[in-house]
């Protein structure tokens, strides 16, 4: 059983460009969350998708948007890239049961904005 | 979101037990205590979680204080592969499944 898979593993973009990151959740999971991790910091919650809808959102600007597909996979889009968007982007999946469930994380996409 | 306090770093020797403390004095009655760890160049990995009673699994043990204002993650015999950043996180009941990470404790394991 594959765990959470993310693509690409590394990406280099320039300021002002747009980027799309992809995530396939662990088999059987219906909820996908995205996190941003700057160097030396803990991951910060961006948003969470369930049933193809954004369920909750962290303190990130509208330049960050996402999508969840019927097969539960998800995309994270970032428009008008800034240098400060350089970070490790992590995807996490879980099965939403209403009881505090554990999350499974992918290895992340390392985004560098030049 | 309720906050947790952890030491920035700890050091241990291989094959010795490690006790990683976490304070969460503002914990609510329905908050679960979760521990995750992040090895270098990897995403966070679930370690253990609990509500009131002590918990054991193949990776670690979680000791929860009677008043629930603190907890301790116990690695019974540290190995070099346990060197990681350990995060103590409170997650509310009700299906939020949102993790609020602090800076965690960086554990160094000496051979």
């Amino acid at each position: 059983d594959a765990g959470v898979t993310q693509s690409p593993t590394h990406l280099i973009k320039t300021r002002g460009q747009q980027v799309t990151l992809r995530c396939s959740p662990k088999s059987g999971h219906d909820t996908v969350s995205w996190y941003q991790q700057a160097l030396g910091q803990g991951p910060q919650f961006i948003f969470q998708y369930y049933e193809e809808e954004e369920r909750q959102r962290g303190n990130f600007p509208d330049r960050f948007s996402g999508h969840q597909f019927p097969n539960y996979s998800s995309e994270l889009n970032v428009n008008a890239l800034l240098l400060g968007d350089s970070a490790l982007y992590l995807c996490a999946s879980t099965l939403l049961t209403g009881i505090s469930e554990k999350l499974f994380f992918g290895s992340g996409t390392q985004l560098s904005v030049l | 979101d309720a906050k947790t306090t952890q030491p920035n770093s700890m050091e241990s020797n291989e094959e010795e037990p490690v006790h990683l403390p976490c304070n969460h004095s503002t914990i609510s009655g329905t908050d679960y205590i979760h521990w995750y760890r992040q090895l270098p160049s990897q995403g966070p990995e679930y370690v253990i979680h609990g509500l009131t009673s002590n918990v054991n699994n193949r990776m670690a043990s979680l000791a929860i204080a009677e008043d629930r204002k603190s907890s301790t993650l116990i690695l019974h015999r540290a190995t070099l592969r346990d060197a990681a950043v350990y995060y103590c996180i409170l997650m509310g009941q009700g299906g939020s499944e949102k993790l609020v990470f602090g800076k965690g404790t960086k554990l160094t394991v000496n051979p």
Side-chain angles (χ1 to χ4, degrees):
Chain A
D1 170 31
V4 178
T5 58
Q6 292 187 242
S7 63
T9 55
H10 295 83
L11 203 51
I12 299 175
K13 292 286 188 178
T14 57
R15 277 183 303 174
Q17 284 190 313
Q18 179 263 343
V19 68
T20 297
L21 310 182
R22 295 176 176 81
C23 172
S24 292
K26 183 177 169 63
S27 177
H29 286 182
D30 60 5
T31 303
V32 173
S33 301
W34 288 91
Y35 290 78
Q36 180 196 65
Q37 186 172 25
L39 194 63
Q41 303 296 315
Q44 300 299 306
F45 176 76
I46 303 175
F47 44 52
Q48 182 186 82
Y49 277 83
Y50 171 70
E51 291 190 341
E52 302 179 51
E53 296 285 335
E54 184 181 289
R55 186 168 176 266
Q56 51 182 329
R57 187 179 183 94
N59 187 26
F60 279 80
D62 292 344
R63 298 187 297 108
F64 289 77
S65 63
H67 189 78
Q68 186 180 36
F69 299 94
N71 67 352
Y72 305 118
S73 67
S74 176
E75 288 182 349
L76 164 66
N77 300 293
V78 187
N79 293 324
L81 284 166
L82 304 174
L83 296 179
D85 294 331
S86 295
L88 179 67
Y89 288 84
L90 295 160
C91 171
S93 74
T94 190
L95 179 64
L96 208 62
T97 63
I99 303 172
S100 186
E101 292 290 348
K102 58 187 179 185
L103 274 68
F104 290 79
F105 284 82
S107 295
T109 293
Q110 184 66 55
L111 173 64
S112 298
V113 182
L114 307 179
Chain B
D1 297 307
K3 300 225 183 277
T4 62
T5 305
Q6 300 176 252
N8 290 332
S9 62
M10 290 186 64
E11 207 165 319
S12 173
N13 295 320
E14 203 174 6
E15 298 193 5
E16 290 184 356
V18 181
H19 290 231
L20 297 165
C22 181
N23 288 319
H24 28 78
S25 58
T26 60
I27 190 171
S28 75
T30 56
D31 283 340
Y32 281 78
I33 302 159
H34 281 244
W35 283 82
Y36 283 75
R37 70 180 186 181
Q38 188 170 20
L39 280 65
S41 302
Q42 295 188 26
E45 173 188 33
Y46 168 83
V47 178
I48 200 166
H49 78 286
L51 184 62
T52 56
S53 304
N54 295 344
V55 184
N56 300 296
N57 66 21
R58 65 175 180 81
M59 289 181 71
S61 296
L62 176 60
I64 302 172
E66 200 166 329
D67 64 5
R68 299 205 333 121
K69 295 189 177 193
S70 66
S71 61
T72 302
L73 179 70
I74 302 165
L75 306 179
H76 295 285
R77 289 184 66 195
T79 70
L80 296 178
R81 288 175 295 179
D82 291 322
V85 178
Y86 286 79
Y87 297 99
C88 168
I89 302 166
L90 302 182
M91 183 190 285
Q93 223 172 6
S96 168
E97 273 73 15
K98 179 181 90 172
L99 298 176
V100 179
F101 288 84
K103 292 191 174 181
T105 297
K106 183 176 182 179
L107 175 65
T108 301
V109 180
N110 300 313

